Amino acid sequence: MFDSAQYIWGRFIHAASVERMLIGASVFRIVAGLTILYQYLINYFDRYYLYGPNAAWSFDAFRDYLRESGSFSLYAFSEHRLYFDLLYHLGLVVTTFWVVGWHTRLMTFLTCVFFWSLHERTPILWDGGDNLLQIVLIYACFAHLGAHLSFDAERVRMRRAHDNAIRWSGAMLHNAAMLAIAIQLSLLYLVSGLAKVQGEMWQSGTALYYVLRTGEFGWSGYAELIYLNVPLMVALTYLTVAFQVSFPFLFWLNRYTRLMALAAGCMFHLGIAAMMGLITFSLFMIAVELMLINDREYRSVLRHMTTLRRRLGWRLQRRLRRVGRSPRLAGLRMRLFFDGWCPLCRSSMRWIRHLDLFGLIELRSFRDPAVVERFGLDPARAERRIQALAHGRLYEGAEAGFVIATRVPATWPLVPLIWFACRMGVAQPLYDWFASRRMIEPEGCATGACIVPSRTRTSLPRSDSQEGY
Amino acid sequence: MNARIHALLPGLTLVILVLALSFHFLMTAFYLLPMNPLKLRFHAYAAYMQPFFRQTWTLFAPDPVSDTRLLLVACRLKLDDGTFAEMPYVDVTTPFRQAHYANRFGPADRVERLQSGAMRVIFQRDTLIDRLEEHRSNTSSDLNELLDYVHERDAAARQRGVATLNRVASDHCDQLYGSGRTVATQMRMVILEFPRFSQRHLPDDAGTLRHFDFPWAPYEAVDPLVRLSVQR
């Protein structure tokens, strides 16, 4: 009896310590992070009017509100405009790091603090989506949001290779956070649905008419197409209530109904974004819904999409590669020598290979002695900065980054920015700062046991840099 | 000893997490329940939930808003000869809404929400408080204290809403007539109750129009709108 209980408890612990929904958590990070960046940037030029020390919601009102609600905001510490600007831009930077997954744990916490602070600064600007995200970000501080699609991905993968009690506890914390988010979303839908059931307009099937005809939530010229079509309008009104009330039951019933509920939620919020213009509300809701799709389901979707893309895209890819091989573009072909012992570099190279539509970039690890010998590289310099051989010249560090950006279509919008940063002398020091802090995993260290930061293992003389440019 | 702690750690973590989640969502569920005698008696849940886990999910419920609210602003200017002139009302809300209709991803939505949010703060009324008010007793009681607290809090919130609208109006006057010329503003909230569903084919003009005038309020300098400023 005791043995059997112990066995069940052991199985339970084991099941609870397998991290769930890691891909969903990363997708959430990206979708929610980009939406927060959109919130910061869309009113960037009017930031003083909306959130500044002398904003329309005055600083006195802001302080009174904080005192009454017992809340906090970093913006409350000073009325100085410089302080406000510093915080606002720090919020932008922190959220950007969060989106790309750089030191994700810390950035999740900081994003949560900065997001909370901005929202408390002018509390009348926000909606239910912001309310949900404020809460979800608190839970997310305990989750692993950087396991995929991030700069941390490789590091997280190697840490997860260690199977010990502390990793198990961390995994449980992650699963508990994901469970909390799922329960929170279920409560949201249930409460919202049950509140609607009591409303006369929702009961009579006309609520959507009133919502879409208001100036605030309508869309003049388009909303009429829905609210004047009585069968459609009544059906959508009842479907809204039915979906919200049934969401928790569908979500927890089985995986098929869960996926159905989440897919319906995404469609529902895309409709709200378009027809009611609640863009950030919808994106935050969709971000949370995408979080609750498990890894196996994401992989299955990815497999299907890959097959589809291969079927549809191979001709286009072949054509682009053919263009890349044409004599006219011969001058654009380049070789890139990266650090094959650096997990971050390997991850970045995978992205470059993926995005290099014209096939112009040949990737080589300078850790391969044959490569060093064949191309006459200086290993010490290559270890300090990435090397790019193009137009018969060797480019280093940020300059190499610029050369790559000119060849990868997805990074073309960044070309002027990188060029400007290089010319201003900002890019190279920034590159060096990052490069000197990268992790290095020499070959044969698959478990991550011999990972070292590059700056502790290199004691090379400073290169005479800029030469040859 | 160390090995024993390591062996116990996962189980201990699991137990703590189960207890913490159970407690947290019990509090959340209690917080989300409609007002009931138990909630009136036990306030501890509110202290736990606020401010970090406060939440309102009665989105468009029980009935959605069924009118269009607009803010109109009149400016009192000090003229060069020292006399004062009161300018006609100008619609402050519609230009932002039109801009939002034209560009769903544009910046106008958030700026317009400043007005609609402030108007909501000013005019929101909890019917539950009205019902509870009927049970107010002559002697001091928990209910009386609670009602007094709610009224005081709502009055402060309304005051903040009015002050915000006045600042919005001040900025608008600056944009219309030039900075430093306005000495006072007056706001008018217009409520357009568009035709009900049975008359849905009629235009908005066929609905009823009500308005509520705020008293004149002194001008307040605000950091101006830059990108979305009004064309003079």
Side-chain angles (χ1 to χ4, degrees):
Chain A
M1 177 70 181
F2 180 73
D3 284 350
S4 142
Q6 203 172 22
Y7 173 74
I8 292 170
W9 176 243
R11 289 285 303 267
F12 189 49
I13 287 181
H14 181 73
S17 61
V18 177
E19 287 162 319
R20 321 266 165 175
M21 299 174 175
L22 285 169
I23 300 177
S26 301
V27 170
F28 162 78
R29 190 193 77 238
I30 294 168
V31 177
L34 289 174
T35 309
I36 297 172
L37 285 178
Y38 164 79
Q39 275 191 343
Y40 271 108
L41 293 172
I42 194 64
N43 292 110
Y44 182 81
F45 296 105
D46 292 318
R47 64 189 182 282
Y48 298 126
Y49 177 78
L50 291 173
Y51 322 108
N54 195 25
W57 179 263
S58 71
F59 210 81
D60 288 339
F62 168 43
R63 276 192 177 144
D64 285 349
Y65 168 78
L66 285 187
R67 197 176 48 246
E68 251 180 42
S69 64
S71 185
F72 90 99
S73 169
L74 296 175
Y75 292 93
F77 294 126
S78 170
E79 284 186 60
H80 205 287
R81 188 185 268 210
L82 196 67
Y83 175 75
F84 165 78
D85 267 334
L86 182 74
L87 279 188
Y88 196 83
H89 291 96
L90 260 177
L92 261 171
V93 171
V94 160
T95 312
T96 307
F97 282 143
W98 188 56
V99 171
V100 299
W102 184 73
H103 290 272
T104 315
R105 280 266 179 178
L106 175 66
M107 292 305 149
T108 305
F109 172 72
L110 292 178
T111 301
C112 177
V113 171
F114 278 96
F115 181 79
W116 181 278
S117 296
L118 187 72
H119 281 61
E120 295 298 277
R121 171 62 190 90
T122 310
I124 54 173
L125 293 179
W126 316 108
D127 52 43
D130 298 278
N131 192 173
L132 178 67
L133 200 76
Q134 281 183 320
I135 297 168
V136 167
L137 277 176
I138 296 173
Y139 299 142
C141 289
F142 301 99
H144 292 150
L145 303 188
H148 295 274
L149 308 165
S150 76
F151 282 108
D152 286 349
E154 193 98 6
R155 193 168 36 189
V156 170
R157 234 188 318 275
M158 281 188 289
R159 279 190 191 152
R160 286 175 63 213
H162 298 284
D163 203 26
N164 58 36
I166 293 175
R167 195 200 69 74
W168 278 30
S169 300
M172 284 178 194
L173 207 57
H174 165 85
N175 289 338
M178 301 305 286
L179 182 64
I181 291 164
I183 298 173
Q184 182 64 66
L185 188 68
S186 302
L187 280 174
L188 181 159
Y189 278 122
L190 187 67
V191 171
S192 182
L194 289 179
K196 286 185 177 70
V197 166
Q198 302 165 47
E200 194 189 319
M201 290 173 184
W202 292 101
Q203 287 171 8
S204 63
T206 58
L208 213 57
Y209 165 77
Y210 293 101
V211 173
L212 291 178
R213 194 149 181 181
T214 59
E216 196 178 348
F217 301 111
W219 192 8
S220 187
Y222 299 94
E224 296 85 340
L225 300 174
I226 291 181
Y227 72 66
L228 290 179
N229 184 335
V230 177
L232 180 66
M233 191 271 301
V234 172
L236 288 176
T237 302
Y238 286 139
L239 274 174
T240 300
V241 181
F243 161 69
Q244 292 197 325
V245 173
S246 63
F247 182 91
F249 305 100
L250 293 174
F251 186 86
W252 297 101
L253 190 62
N254 63 48
R255 64 176 284 226
Y256 300 106
T257 53
R258 177 171 52 80
L259 286 176
M260 201 172 80
L262 292 172
C266 291
M267 298 297 290
F268 176 65
H269 288 108
L270 284 176
I272 288 178
M275 294 313 299
M276 295 169 66
L278 296 171
I279 304 294
T280 56
F281 166 78
S282 303
L283 288 175
F284 285 144
M285 294 298 296
I286 289 171
V288 176
E289 279 150 4
L290 291 176
M291 196 177 199
L292 301 173
I293 297 172
N294 73 34
D295 292 357
R296 201 175 57 179
E297 289 151 2
Y298 266 113
R299 290 206 174 92
S300 166
V301 170
L302 200 67
R303 266 198 306 278
H304 282 98
M305 279 173 62
T306 308
T307 312
L308 194 70
R309 198 187 62 196
R310 277 188 189 143
R311 280 184 190 157
L312 295 175
W314 72 273
R315 280 188 184 172
L316 178 71
Q317 197 175 14
R318 256 179 56 171
R319 277 189 189 174
L320 289 174
R321 291 280 159 123
R322 200 180 302 154
V323 170
R325 282 196 301 273
S326 70
R328 270 190 224 168
L329 296 186
L332 288 175
R333 282 199 281 275
M334 62 175 282
R335 287 197 177 94
L336 193 62
F337 304 103
F338 67 98
D339 185 351
W341 287 0
C342 154
L344 177 65
C345 310
R346 286 202 301 270
S347 161
S348 307
M349 291 310 124
R350 273 198 295 276
W351 273 103
I352 289 176
R353 185 174 289 129
H354 186 66
L355 297 172
D356 177 23
L357 296 179
F358 293 101
L360 294 170
I361 305 173
E362 184 185 330
L363 302 170
R364 303 276 182 145
S365 166
F366 78 84
R367 297 289 183 184
D368 181 353
V371 171
V372 173
E373 193 181 329
R374 184 176 162 199
F375 297 101
L377 296 175
D378 175 354
R381 289 182 69 132
E383 186 165 319
R384 279 175 55 79
R385 289 175 176 169
I386 194 168
Q387 310 274 308
L389 190 62
H391 323 115
R393 286 168 60 185
L394 200 62
Y395 296 85
E396 288 190 344
E399 300 274 355
F402 173 74
V403 176
I404 297 165
T406 57
R407 278 141 179 90
V408 176
T411 56
W412 285 346
L414 298 175
V415 167
L417 188 73
I418 302 174
W419 179 85
F420 188 68
C422 286
R423 289 295 157 269
M424 293 296 289
V426 181
Q428 207 65 276
L430 201 64
Y431 173 88
D432 288 340
W433 189 85
F434 272 105
S436 67
R437 279 158 180 79
R438 73 186 191 275
M439 294 293 178
I440 287 179
E441 177 203 12
E443 257 174 23
C445 290
T447 58
C450 41
I451 288 178
V452 284
S454 68
R455 57 180 168 174
T456 60
R457 64 179 304 282
T458 54
S459 54
L460 300 165
R462 289 187 67 81
S463 85
D464 45 353
S465 68
Q466 312 298 323
E467 75 175 32
Y469 298 150
Chain B
M1 184 65 186
N2 207 14
R4 179 123 182 95
I5 291 172
H6 269 256
L8 285 175
L9 189 63
L12 202 63
T13 310
L14 189 58
V15 170
I16 292 170
L17 286 174
V18 168
L19 289 176
L21 278 185
S22 306
F23 171 77
H24 175 70
F25 282 106
L26 196 69
M27 286 288 151
T28 308
F30 194 64
Y31 177 82
L32 291 172
L33 281 175
M35 187 52 80
N36 58 51
L38 216 56
K39 283 182 82 168
L40 278 175
R41 188 169 296 176
F42 301 110
H43 304 293
Y45 73 93
Y48 171 76
M49 293 298 289
Q50 288 173 343
F52 298 109
F53 297 109
R54 65 165 179 248
Q55 44 198 287
T56 312
W57 305 131
T58 50
L59 315 166
F60 300 100
D63 278 321
V65 60
S66 57
D67 51 45
T68 293
R69 295 177 185 199
L70 305 169
L71 179 70
L72 272 58
V73 170
C75 313
R76 182 182 288 159
L77 307 181
K78 186 172 186 183
L79 303 178
D80 295 338
D81 59 6
T83 58
F84 296 95
E86 287 176 12
M87 309 309 285
Y89 278 106
V90 177
D91 181 356
V92 182
T93 310
T94 303
F96 294 122
R97 291 208 175 135
Q98 295 294 347
H100 186 50
Y101 295 156
N103 180 6
R104 298 305 246 181
F105 293 93
D109 177 43
R110 201 66 59 184
V111 177
E112 190 277 325
R113 283 195 200 189
L114 198 60
Q115 299 168 25
S116 52
M119 285 192 261
R120 208 168 292 132
V121 166
I122 295 168
F123 289 97
Q124 74 183 358
R125 190 154 187 85
D126 193 341
T127 51
L128 175 74
I129 298 298
D130 295 339
R131 288 209 307 274
L132 288 175
E133 196 63 55
E134 293 167 11
H135 300 282
R136 187 188 273 273
S137 58
N138 293 326
T139 56
S140 68
S141 67
D142 286 351
L143 180 64
N144 287 9
E145 272 180 33
L146 179 73
L147 288 170
D148 290 343
Y149 165 75
V150 170
H151 288 314
E152 198 180 309
R153 189 197 62 188
D154 289 353
R158 264 194 296 280
Q159 187 51 44
R160 285 197 289 269
V162 173
T164 302
L165 286 187
N166 182 39
R167 289 167 74 83
V168 168
S170 297
D171 174 60
H172 210 80
C173 290
D174 274 352
Q175 290 177 41
L176 285 171
Y177 307 111
S179 184
R181 296 189 68 202
T182 308
V183 290
T185 65
Q186 187 176 35
M187 297 168 297
R188 167 175 289 180
M189 196 174 111
V190 175
I191 302 170
L192 168 68
E193 200 168 88
F194 48 78
R196 302 296 85 181
F197 179 72
S198 56
Q199 298 171 310
R200 60 192 172 279
H201 291 287
L202 296 177
D204 280 0
D205 302 345
T208 55
L209 207 61
R210 291 178 289 133
H211 70 263
F212 178 86
D213 286 348
F214 292 82
W216 283 94
Y219 167 85
E220 285 196 44
V222 184
D223 281 338
L225 268 175
V226 179
R227 191 166 159 201
L228 288 167
S229 60
V230 180
Q231 297 295 312
R232 289 180 70 186

